[in-house]
Amino acid sequence: MASAPHKTFALAAHDEGGVLSKFEIERRALGPKDVKIAIKFCGMCHSDLHQIKGEWGNSKYPMVPGHEIVGLVEAVGTEAQKFKVGAKVGVGVFVDSCRACANCRQGDEQYCTGNGILNSAVFTYNHTLPDGTLVQGGYAQTVVVDEAYVLRIPDNLDLAAAAPLLCAGITVWSPFLHFGVRSHHTIGVVGLGGLGHMAVKFAVAMGCDVAVISHSPGKEALAKKLGAHHFIVISDEAAKSAHARTMDYIVDTVSAPHKLQDYLPFLKTGATLCLVGIPTKPYELHAGDVLMQRLKVAGSVIGGIRETQEMLDFCGRHGITSMIETVPAAYANKAMTRLEQNDVKFRFVLDIGGTLSASSPELEGA
């Protein structure tokens, strides 16, 4: 008997005010290669905040955000073979791609160029399909995704704390791989938020010498608790001099406007500073800041399916998850307000499975 589309409850924003409210959406029928997932938890990424408020200029409403999805397989299509009902799974930032372009073939689906333009991957939300359907994200009870874009969550990881790995984790892991981070390297991490604390955890587990670079002296104890070997306050000239030209790689996770020139002096000759945050204002950089030591300033966004699974498996072996604050669905608007104020360590995670249903209360602030 053929599967039919189904209704599910979700949290949606309806305009640039960004206020979330309970909303019923329709998920597609289960296709032959599809997996239907009962969503248990969904991380609240800072990009969700930007998107529901229309701050990047491409928002489509109504919008159900969420691309740090974890849950249990509820049903599989007739030809699906990767997962069995009951398996712990996750879905990240994209749910399809062309599968034929050079980037997709080499496992870089996040850089899909299938229709001849950049970013042709089908994102988990705020994406319009050719038939006009809006793709809706993980602040919802269920989701249906092709099995090729579903990830296995190691059984030993706490499901809620694993959710942010699907965006925050892979965002820093992918450039670590691409730029060849190794155990003998000294790694700088700019910013100690949702992305930065994952970068510290990964680099420590890889055996690197790790330095956190921050504007906030009060974060030193936390940085050391996470395993960082050095903590550098950017206004401390003596510390900056002591660590000048000592770092093989720096990952800059900060999304607020800041000066790249403050961090380049830490790099060894020929080393790389990689940007993974997206500030609202363009950077200003003089050629002389990089050419005198042959420095490289690069960027990276999320990762492909293969390397995301490799990251999850690494987390399983090393017991790595994100530091989270789990909140009920009704608290989502308050959580967004706190997220905007950077009042969370380090990721809000919505308890979808336990607190979102037809009978669950309306959202505070809706």
Short mmCIF file of all heavy atoms in Angstrom, two decimals, residues 44-106:
data_model
loop_
_atom_site.label_atom_id
_atom_site.label_comp_id
_atom_site.label_asym_id
_atom_site.label_seq_id
_atom_site.Cartn_x
_atom_site.Cartn_y
_atom_site.Cartn_z
N MET A 44 19.13 24.47 18.57
CA MET A 44 18.77 25.82 18.12
C MET A 44 20.06 26.54 17.73
O MET A 44 20.80 27.03 18.58
CB MET A 44 18.03 26.57 19.23
CG MET A 44 16.76 25.88 19.68
SD MET A 44 15.84 26.79 20.96
CE MET A 44 15.14 28.14 19.99
N CYS A 45 20.32 26.59 16.44
CA CYS A 45 21.53 27.20 15.89
C CYS A 45 21.34 28.71 15.77
O CYS A 45 20.22 29.20 15.57
CB CYS A 45 21.81 26.58 14.53
SG CYS A 45 23.25 27.23 13.67
N HIS A 46 22.45 29.45 15.85
CA HIS A 46 22.36 30.91 15.70
C HIS A 46 21.83 31.28 14.32
O HIS A 46 21.17 32.31 14.15
CB HIS A 46 23.73 31.55 15.94
CG HIS A 46 23.64 32.93 16.53
ND1 HIS A 46 23.34 34.05 15.77
CD2 HIS A 46 23.78 33.38 17.80
CE1 HIS A 46 23.32 35.12 16.55
NE2 HIS A 46 23.56 34.75 17.78
N SER A 47 22.08 30.44 13.32
CA SER A 47 21.55 30.74 11.99
C SER A 47 20.03 30.65 11.97
O SER A 47 19.37 31.32 11.17
CB SER A 47 22.16 29.80 10.94
OG SER A 47 21.87 28.45 11.24
N ASP A 48 19.44 29.83 12.85
CA ASP A 48 17.97 29.80 12.95
C ASP A 48 17.44 31.18 13.32
O ASP A 48 16.43 31.65 12.77
CB ASP A 48 17.52 28.80 14.01
CG ASP A 48 17.90 27.36 13.70
OD1 ASP A 48 18.28 27.08 12.56
OD2 ASP A 48 17.83 26.53 14.62
N LEU A 49 18.13 31.82 14.25
CA LEU A 49 17.74 33.17 14.67
C LEU A 49 17.83 34.16 13.52
O LEU A 49 16.92 34.96 13.28
CB LEU A 49 18.63 33.61 15.84
CG LEU A 49 18.41 35.02 16.40
CD1 LEU A 49 17.01 35.16 16.99
CD2 LEU A 49 19.46 35.32 17.47
N HIS A 50 18.95 34.12 12.79
CA HIS A 50 19.11 35.02 11.63
C HIS A 50 18.00 34.79 10.61
O HIS A 50 17.44 35.74 10.05
CB HIS A 50 20.46 34.78 10.95
CG HIS A 50 21.64 35.25 11.74
ND1 HIS A 50 21.81 36.57 12.12
CD2 HIS A 50 22.73 34.59 12.20
CE1 HIS A 50 22.94 36.70 12.79
NE2 HIS A 50 23.51 35.51 12.86
N GLN A 51 17.70 33.52 10.35
CA GLN A 51 16.74 33.21 9.30
C GLN A 51 15.31 33.59 9.67
O GLN A 51 14.57 34.15 8.85
CB GLN A 51 16.80 31.71 8.96
CG GLN A 51 18.10 31.29 8.28
CD GLN A 51 18.15 31.65 6.81
OE1 GLN A 51 17.56 32.63 6.36
NE2 GLN A 51 18.88 30.86 6.04
N ILE A 52 14.88 33.29 10.91
CA ILE A 52 13.48 33.61 11.24
C ILE A 52 13.26 35.12 11.27
O ILE A 52 12.14 35.59 11.05
CB ILE A 52 13.04 32.98 12.57
CG1 ILE A 52 13.85 33.51 13.77
CG2 ILE A 52 13.08 31.46 12.49
CD1 ILE A 52 13.33 33.02 15.12
N LYS A 53 14.33 35.89 11.49
CA LYS A 53 14.21 37.34 11.50
C LYS A 53 14.52 37.98 10.14
O LYS A 53 14.52 39.21 10.00
CB LYS A 53 15.14 37.93 12.56
CG LYS A 53 14.67 37.67 13.99
CD LYS A 53 15.59 38.31 15.01
CE LYS A 53 15.04 38.22 16.42
NZ LYS A 53 13.83 39.04 16.62
N GLY A 54 14.80 37.16 9.14
CA GLY A 54 15.05 37.68 7.80
C GLY A 54 16.33 38.47 7.68
O GLY A 54 16.46 39.31 6.77
N GLU A 55 17.31 38.21 8.53
CA GLU A 55 18.52 39.05 8.57
C GLU A 55 19.49 38.75 7.44
O GLU A 55 20.41 39.54 7.20
CB GLU A 55 19.20 38.88 9.93
CG GLU A 55 18.39 39.47 11.07
CD GLU A 55 18.98 39.21 12.44
OE1 GLU A 55 19.91 38.39 12.55
OE2 GLU A 55 18.50 39.81 13.42
N TRP A 56 19.32 37.64 6.75
CA TRP A 56 20.20 37.32 5.62
C TRP A 56 19.55 37.60 4.27
O TRP A 56 20.13 37.34 3.23
CB TRP A 56 20.66 35.86 5.70
CG TRP A 56 21.65 35.63 6.83
CD1 TRP A 56 22.33 36.58 7.54
CD2 TRP A 56 22.04 34.37 7.36
NE1 TRP A 56 23.14 35.97 8.48
CE2 TRP A 56 22.98 34.63 8.40
CE3 TRP A 56 21.72 33.04 7.07
CZ2 TRP A 56 23.58 33.60 9.15
CZ3 TRP A 56 22.30 32.03 7.81
CH2 TRP A 56 23.23 32.31 8.83
N GLY A 57 18.32 38.13 4.31
CA GLY A 57 17.68 38.60 3.08
C GLY A 57 17.08 37.54 2.19
O GLY A 57 16.65 37.85 1.07
N ASN A 58 17.03 36.28 2.65
CA ASN A 58 16.49 35.22 1.77
C ASN A 58 15.41 34.39 2.45
O ASN A 58 15.11 33.27 2.02
CB ASN A 58 17.63 34.30 1.33
CG ASN A 58 18.25 33.53 2.49
OD1 ASN A 58 18.11 33.93 3.65
ND2 ASN A 58 18.97 32.45 2.18
N SER A 59 14.81 34.93 3.51
CA SER A 59 13.87 34.14 4.30
C SER A 59 12.53 33.95 3.59
O SER A 59 12.01 34.88 2.95
CB SER A 59 13.64 34.80 5.66
OG SER A 59 14.84 34.80 6.41
N LYS A 60 11.99 32.73 3.73
CA LYS A 60 10.72 32.37 3.12
C LYS A 60 9.78 31.90 4.23
O LYS A 60 10.15 31.06 5.04
CB LYS A 60 10.92 31.26 2.08
CG LYS A 60 11.96 31.61 1.01
CD LYS A 60 12.31 30.38 0.18
CE LYS A 60 13.38 30.70 -0.87
NZ LYS A 60 14.68 31.03 -0.26
N TYR A 61 8.57 32.43 4.25
CA TYR A 61 7.63 32.14 5.33
C TYR A 61 6.37 31.47 4.78
O TYR A 61 6.03 31.69 3.62
CB TYR A 61 7.26 33.44 6.05
CG TYR A 61 8.44 34.18 6.63
CD1 TYR A 61 9.00 35.26 5.94
CD2 TYR A 61 9.00 33.79 7.85
CE1 TYR A 61 10.09 35.94 6.47
CE2 TYR A 61 10.10 34.47 8.38
CZ TYR A 61 10.63 35.55 7.69
OH TYR A 61 11.71 36.22 8.21
N PRO A 62 5.70 30.66 5.61
CA PRO A 62 6.04 30.31 6.99
C PRO A 62 7.30 29.45 7.03
O PRO A 62 7.53 28.64 6.13
CB PRO A 62 4.81 29.54 7.48
CG PRO A 62 4.20 28.98 6.24
CD PRO A 62 4.45 30.00 5.17
N MET A 63 8.09 29.60 8.08
CA MET A 63 9.37 28.92 8.19
C MET A 63 9.45 28.12 9.48
O MET A 63 9.29 28.65 10.57
CB MET A 63 10.52 29.94 8.18
CG MET A 63 11.91 29.30 8.27
SD MET A 63 13.18 30.51 8.68
CE MET A 63 12.99 31.69 7.34
N VAL A 64 9.70 26.82 9.31
CA VAL A 64 10.01 25.95 10.44
C VAL A 64 11.52 25.75 10.44
O VAL A 64 12.06 25.08 9.56
CB VAL A 64 9.30 24.59 10.32
CG1 VAL A 64 9.70 23.66 11.48
CG2 VAL A 64 7.79 24.77 10.28
N PRO A 65 12.24 26.38 11.38
CA PRO A 65 13.69 26.25 11.37
C PRO A 65 14.15 24.92 11.96
O PRO A 65 13.33 24.07 12.33
CB PRO A 65 14.15 27.44 12.23
CG PRO A 65 13.00 27.69 13.15
CD PRO A 65 11.75 27.26 12.44
N GLY A 66 15.48 24.77 12.05
CA GLY A 66 16.05 23.60 12.71
C GLY A 66 16.79 22.67 11.77
O GLY A 66 16.17 22.03 10.91
N HIS A 67 18.12 22.59 11.95
CA HIS A 67 18.91 21.66 11.15
C HIS A 67 19.93 20.90 12.01
O HIS A 67 20.97 20.49 11.51
CB HIS A 67 19.59 22.37 9.97
CG HIS A 67 20.46 23.54 10.34
ND1 HIS A 67 20.63 24.63 9.52
CD2 HIS A 67 21.22 23.79 11.45
CE1 HIS A 67 21.45 25.49 10.11
NE2 HIS A 67 21.83 24.99 11.26
N GLU A 68 19.59 20.72 13.28
CA GLU A 68 20.37 19.86 14.16
C GLU A 68 19.39 18.85 14.75
O GLU A 68 18.99 18.91 15.90
CB GLU A 68 21.05 20.69 15.26
CG GLU A 68 22.05 21.69 14.72
CD GLU A 68 22.70 22.56 15.81
OE1 GLU A 68 22.16 22.63 16.95
OE2 GLU A 68 23.74 23.16 15.51
N ILE A 69 18.98 17.90 13.90
CA ILE A 69 17.85 17.02 14.17
C ILE A 69 18.34 15.65 14.61
O ILE A 69 19.18 15.04 13.94
CB ILE A 69 17.00 16.86 12.90
CG1 ILE A 69 16.50 18.22 12.39
CG2 ILE A 69 15.84 15.90 13.13
CD1 ILE A 69 15.91 18.18 10.98
N VAL A 70 17.81 15.16 15.72
CA VAL A 70 18.08 13.77 16.13
C VAL A 70 16.77 13.12 16.54
O VAL A 70 15.85 13.77 17.04
CB VAL A 70 19.09 13.69 17.28
CG1 VAL A 70 20.48 14.13 16.83
CG2 VAL A 70 18.65 14.51 18.49
N GLY A 71 16.70 11.82 16.30
CA GLY A 71 15.49 11.10 16.65
C GLY A 71 15.63 9.63 16.37
O GLY A 71 16.74 9.10 16.23
N LEU A 72 14.49 8.96 16.27
CA LEU A 72 14.44 7.52 16.05
C LEU A 72 13.71 7.23 14.74
O LEU A 72 12.70 7.89 14.42
CB LEU A 72 13.72 6.82 17.20
CG LEU A 72 14.30 7.03 18.60
CD1 LEU A 72 13.45 6.31 19.64
CD2 LEU A 72 15.75 6.60 18.68
N VAL A 73 14.20 6.25 14.00
CA VAL A 73 13.55 5.86 12.75
C VAL A 73 12.19 5.26 13.06
O VAL A 73 12.06 4.32 13.85
CB VAL A 73 14.42 4.85 11.97
CG1 VAL A 73 13.66 4.34 10.75
CG2 VAL A 73 15.73 5.51 11.54
N GLU A 74 11.16 5.81 12.42
CA GLU A 74 9.79 5.36 12.64
C GLU A 74 9.31 4.46 11.51
O GLU A 74 8.49 3.55 11.71
CB GLU A 74 8.87 6.58 12.77
CG GLU A 74 7.46 6.27 13.20
CD GLU A 74 6.68 7.55 13.48
OE1 GLU A 74 6.92 8.17 14.54
OE2 GLU A 74 5.85 7.94 12.63
N ALA A 75 9.80 4.69 10.29
CA ALA A 75 9.42 3.88 9.14
C ALA A 75 10.48 4.04 8.05
O ALA A 75 11.19 5.05 8.01
CB ALA A 75 8.05 4.30 8.61
N VAL A 76 10.60 3.04 7.19
CA VAL A 76 11.55 3.11 6.08
C VAL A 76 10.84 2.73 4.79
O VAL A 76 9.86 1.97 4.79
CB VAL A 76 12.77 2.19 6.29
CG1 VAL A 76 13.56 2.63 7.52
CG2 VAL A 76 12.35 0.73 6.43
N GLY A 77 11.32 3.28 3.67
CA GLY A 77 10.76 2.97 2.37
C GLY A 77 11.07 1.56 1.93
O GLY A 77 11.94 0.88 2.49
N THR A 78 10.39 1.13 0.89
CA THR A 78 10.50 -0.27 0.43
C THR A 78 11.89 -0.62 -0.06
O THR A 78 12.28 -1.79 -0.06
CB THR A 78 9.48 -0.52 -0.68
OG1 THR A 78 9.67 0.45 -1.74
CG2 THR A 78 8.05 -0.39 -0.15
N GLU A 79 12.68 0.36 -0.49
CA GLU A 79 14.03 0.09 -0.99
C GLU A 79 15.13 0.62 -0.08
O GLU A 79 16.32 0.51 -0.39
CB GLU A 79 14.18 0.70 -2.39
CG GLU A 79 13.21 0.14 -3.42
CD GLU A 79 13.33 0.86 -4.75
OE1 GLU A 79 14.37 1.52 -5.00
OE2 GLU A 79 12.38 0.77 -5.55
N ALA A 80 14.76 1.20 1.05
CA ALA A 80 15.74 1.75 1.99
C ALA A 80 16.44 0.62 2.74
O ALA A 80 15.78 -0.31 3.22
CB ALA A 80 15.06 2.70 2.97
N GLN A 81 17.78 0.72 2.84
CA GLN A 81 18.55 -0.37 3.44
C GLN A 81 19.50 0.08 4.56
O GLN A 81 20.02 -0.76 5.29
CB GLN A 81 19.38 -1.07 2.35
CG GLN A 81 18.55 -1.70 1.27
CD GLN A 81 19.40 -2.40 0.22
OE1 GLN A 81 20.62 -2.25 0.17
NE2 GLN A 81 18.76 -3.18 -0.63
N LYS A 82 19.73 1.37 4.71
CA LYS A 82 20.74 1.83 5.66
C LYS A 82 20.30 1.75 7.11
O LYS A 82 21.14 1.57 8.01
CB LYS A 82 21.12 3.29 5.34
CG LYS A 82 22.01 3.49 4.14
CD LYS A 82 22.35 4.96 3.93
CE LYS A 82 23.15 5.52 5.10
NZ LYS A 82 23.52 6.95 4.86
N PHE A 83 19.02 1.89 7.38
CA PHE A 83 18.55 1.99 8.76
C PHE A 83 17.34 1.10 9.00
O PHE A 83 16.53 0.88 8.10
CB PHE A 83 18.17 3.45 9.08
CG PHE A 83 19.29 4.43 8.87
CD1 PHE A 83 19.33 5.19 7.71
CD2 PHE A 83 20.30 4.56 9.81
CE1 PHE A 83 20.36 6.10 7.50
CE2 PHE A 83 21.33 5.46 9.61
CZ PHE A 83 21.37 6.23 8.45
N LYS A 84 17.25 0.64 10.24
CA LYS A 84 16.09 -0.14 10.66
C LYS A 84 15.23 0.71 11.60
O LYS A 84 15.71 1.67 12.21
CB LYS A 84 16.54 -1.41 11.38
CG LYS A 84 17.32 -2.38 10.49
CD LYS A 84 17.64 -3.66 11.23
CE LYS A 84 18.46 -4.61 10.36
NZ LYS A 84 17.77 -4.99 9.12
N VAL A 85 13.97 0.35 11.70
CA VAL A 85 13.07 1.05 12.61
C VAL A 85 13.64 1.00 14.03
O VAL A 85 14.12 -0.04 14.49
CB VAL A 85 11.66 0.42 12.57
CG1 VAL A 85 10.77 0.98 13.67
CG2 VAL A 85 11.02 0.64 11.21
N GLY A 86 13.64 2.16 14.70
CA GLY A 86 14.17 2.25 16.05
C GLY A 86 15.60 2.76 16.12
O GLY A 86 16.08 3.07 17.21
N ALA A 87 16.29 2.86 14.98
CA ALA A 87 17.69 3.31 14.99
C ALA A 87 17.79 4.78 15.39
O ALA A 87 16.92 5.59 15.08
CB ALA A 87 18.30 3.11 13.61
N LYS A 88 18.89 5.11 16.11
CA LYS A 88 19.16 6.51 16.48
C LYS A 88 19.82 7.19 15.29
O LYS A 88 20.89 6.76 14.82
CB LYS A 88 20.09 6.56 17.69
CG LYS A 88 19.48 6.06 18.97
CD LYS A 88 20.51 5.93 20.08
CE LYS A 88 21.11 7.26 20.49
NZ LYS A 88 22.00 7.10 21.68
N VAL A 89 19.20 8.27 14.80
CA VAL A 89 19.69 8.91 13.58
C VAL A 89 19.67 10.43 13.72
O VAL A 89 19.07 10.99 14.64
CB VAL A 89 18.85 8.50 12.35
CG1 VAL A 89 19.02 7.02 12.05
CG2 VAL A 89 17.37 8.85 12.56
N GLY A 90 20.33 11.08 12.78
CA GLY A 90 20.36 12.54 12.75
C GLY A 90 20.26 13.06 11.33
O GLY A 90 20.56 12.35 10.36
N VAL A 91 19.87 14.33 11.22
CA VAL A 91 19.81 15.05 9.95
C VAL A 91 20.42 16.42 10.18
O VAL A 91 20.08 17.10 11.16
CB VAL A 91 18.36 15.19 9.43
CG1 VAL A 91 18.33 16.01 8.15
CG2 VAL A 91 17.74 13.81 9.22
N GLY A 92 21.30 16.82 9.28
CA GLY A 92 22.00 18.09 9.43
C GLY A 92 21.45 19.19 8.54
O GLY A 92 20.24 19.31 8.36
N VAL A 93 22.36 19.95 7.95
CA VAL A 93 21.99 21.23 7.32
C VAL A 93 21.38 21.06 5.93
O VAL A 93 20.71 21.95 5.44
CB VAL A 93 23.23 22.15 7.28
CG1 VAL A 93 22.93 23.47 6.61
CG2 VAL A 93 23.74 22.39 8.70
N PHE A 94 21.59 19.92 5.28
CA PHE A 94 20.98 19.73 3.96
C PHE A 94 20.38 18.33 3.87
O PHE A 94 20.81 17.40 4.57
CB PHE A 94 21.98 19.98 2.83
CG PHE A 94 23.23 19.14 2.90
CD1 PHE A 94 23.30 17.91 2.26
CD2 PHE A 94 24.34 19.56 3.61
CE1 PHE A 94 24.43 17.13 2.32
CE2 PHE A 94 25.49 18.80 3.68
CZ PHE A 94 25.54 17.57 3.04
N VAL A 95 19.39 18.19 2.98
CA VAL A 95 18.64 16.94 2.89
C VAL A 95 18.65 16.35 1.47
O VAL A 95 18.03 15.32 1.23
CB VAL A 95 17.19 17.11 3.37
CG1 VAL A 95 17.15 17.36 4.87
CG2 VAL A 95 16.49 18.24 2.61
N ASP A 96 19.37 17.00 0.57
CA ASP A 96 19.50 16.46 -0.80
C ASP A 96 20.53 17.30 -1.53
O ASP A 96 20.92 18.39 -1.07
CB ASP A 96 18.16 16.50 -1.54
CG ASP A 96 18.07 15.43 -2.64
OD1 ASP A 96 19.11 14.81 -2.96
OD2 ASP A 96 16.96 15.21 -3.16
N SER A 97 20.98 16.79 -2.66
CA SER A 97 21.88 17.52 -3.56
C SER A 97 21.78 16.85 -4.92
O SER A 97 21.06 15.84 -5.07
CB SER A 97 23.31 17.50 -3.03
OG SER A 97 23.83 16.18 -3.01
N CYS A 98 22.49 17.36 -5.90
CA CYS A 98 22.32 16.81 -7.25
C CYS A 98 22.90 15.41 -7.39
O CYS A 98 22.49 14.65 -8.24
CB CYS A 98 22.93 17.75 -8.28
SG CYS A 98 24.74 17.60 -8.46
N ARG A 99 23.91 15.09 -6.57
CA ARG A 99 24.57 13.78 -6.54
C ARG A 99 25.42 13.49 -7.77
O ARG A 99 25.97 12.39 -7.90
CB ARG A 99 23.55 12.65 -6.33
CG ARG A 99 22.53 12.94 -5.25
CD ARG A 99 21.62 11.77 -4.99
NE ARG A 99 20.44 12.18 -4.23
CZ ARG A 99 19.70 11.36 -3.49
NH1 ARG A 99 20.01 10.09 -3.42
NH2 ARG A 99 18.65 11.81 -2.84
N ALA A 100 25.52 14.45 -8.69
CA ALA A 100 26.23 14.19 -9.95
C ALA A 100 27.39 15.15 -10.20
O ALA A 100 28.31 14.81 -10.96
CB ALA A 100 25.26 14.26 -11.12
N CYS A 101 27.38 16.35 -9.61
CA CYS A 101 28.47 17.30 -9.86
C CYS A 101 29.76 16.81 -9.20
O CYS A 101 29.76 15.87 -8.40
CB CYS A 101 28.09 18.70 -9.34
SG CYS A 101 28.07 18.86 -7.54
N ALA A 102 30.87 17.44 -9.56
CA ALA A 102 32.17 17.01 -9.03
C ALA A 102 32.21 17.06 -7.51
O ALA A 102 32.76 16.16 -6.86
CB ALA A 102 33.27 17.88 -9.62
N ASN A 103 31.62 18.10 -6.94
CA ASN A 103 31.65 18.22 -5.48
C ASN A 103 30.84 17.11 -4.82
O ASN A 103 31.29 16.50 -3.83
CB ASN A 103 31.12 19.58 -5.05
CG ASN A 103 32.10 20.70 -5.33
OD1 ASN A 103 33.29 20.47 -5.53
ND2 ASN A 103 31.61 21.93 -5.38
N CYS A 104 29.66 16.82 -5.33
CA CYS A 104 28.86 15.73 -4.76
C CYS A 104 29.57 14.40 -4.89
O CYS A 104 29.57 13.59 -3.95
CB CYS A 104 27.48 15.66 -5.44
SG CYS A 104 26.33 16.96 -4.91
N ARG A 105 30.19 14.15 -6.04
CA ARG A 105 30.86 12.87 -6.26
C ARG A 105 32.02 12.66 -5.31
O ARG A 105 32.35 11.52 -4.96
CB ARG A 105 31.33 12.75 -7.71
CG ARG A 105 30.20 12.64 -8.73
CD ARG A 105 30.70 12.09 -10.06
NE ARG A 105 31.82 12.85 -10.58
CZ ARG A 105 31.73 13.93 -11.36
NH1 ARG A 105 30.52 14.38 -11.70
NH2 ARG A 105 32.80 14.54 -11.81
N GLN A 106 32.67 13.74 -4.88
CA GLN A 106 33.80 13.57 -3.97
C GLN A 106 33.41 13.74 -2.49
O GLN A 106 34.26 13.77 -1.62
CB GLN A 106 34.92 14.55 -4.33
CG GLN A 106 34.61 16.01 -4.07
CD GLN A 106 35.75 16.92 -4.53
OE1 GLN A 106 36.64 16.50 -5.26
NE2 GLN A 106 35.73 18.16 -4.07
#
